[in-house]
Amino acid sequence: MRDNEKNDHVQGAPNHGQRPEHGHTDDSLDSKRMEEFSAELTSSDLPDIEEEKSFNPGTLYGWGSIILAVISFFIWPIVLGAASIVFGFVARSRGTNILGLIGIIAGALSIISAFFVIPFFS
């Protein structure tokens, strides 16, 4: 008798995707509840942080080179012009060719003007 009581309290296996065993529910509601809308998340679905990051460290060196070159036209042309040229080469090695080239040319013009142009006007 005890075995019969145990079998009465055991829950049946789940009914995945099949028609429900109990007839008291509406068919349209049951068909909506039996659908599964979840999807597994894999590593390829996650956004890659490196891809989203569009900042290139060479850009910082390129803009720094240009800023140093502009400042070098007003104060310390030899020191800041040389620093601008160095920063320009670093920027070019990191992939920002245009900014690096502008910084190199502007720094060189600053040094050339310090040696050859400014002494004639002083």
Side-chain angles (χ1 to χ4, degrees), residues 13-23 25-38:
N15 199 3
H16 297 292
Q18 300 169 356
R19 297 198 58 80
E21 294 176 0
H22 42 353
T25 58
D26 188 25
D27 286 340
S28 63
L29 289 177
D30 253 357
S31 67
K32 289 180 184 174
R33 279 187 273 161
M34 291 301 196
E35 295 176 10
E36 183 177 337
F37 291 103
S38 64

Side-chain angles (χ1 to χ4, degrees), residues 2-110:
R2 286 203 169 253
D3 291 332
N4 289 340
E5 288 177 10
K6 279 186 180 180
N7 289 338
D8 290 339
H9 297 304
V10 174
Q11 183 179 2
N15 199 3
H16 297 292
Q18 300 169 356
R19 297 198 58 80
E21 294 176 0
H22 42 353
H24 65 279
T25 58
D26 188 25
D27 286 340
S28 63
L29 289 177
D30 253 357
S31 67
K32 289 180 184 174
R33 279 187 273 161
M34 291 301 196
E35 295 176 10
E36 183 177 337
F37 291 103
S38 64
E40 292 183 10
L41 185 65
T42 62
S43 62
S44 63
D45 295 333
L46 296 175
D48 205 10
I49 295 174
E50 297 295 326
E51 290 177 8
E52 289 181 2
K53 184 179 178 184
S54 63
F55 177 73
N56 183 3
T59 308
L60 184 65
Y61 285 106
W63 283 110
S65 172
I66 292 172
I67 290 170
L68 284 174
V70 169
I71 294 172
S72 73
F73 282 105
F74 302 106
I75 57 171
W76 300 343
I78 296 170
V79 174
L80 292 179
S84 171
I85 291 172
V86 170
F87 272 45
F89 278 112
V90 171
R92 283 184 52 112
S93 71
R94 297 205 178 193
T96 53
N97 294 330
I98 302 296
L99 291 175
L101 189 62
I102 292 170
I104 292 169
I105 292 172
L109 287 176
S110 174

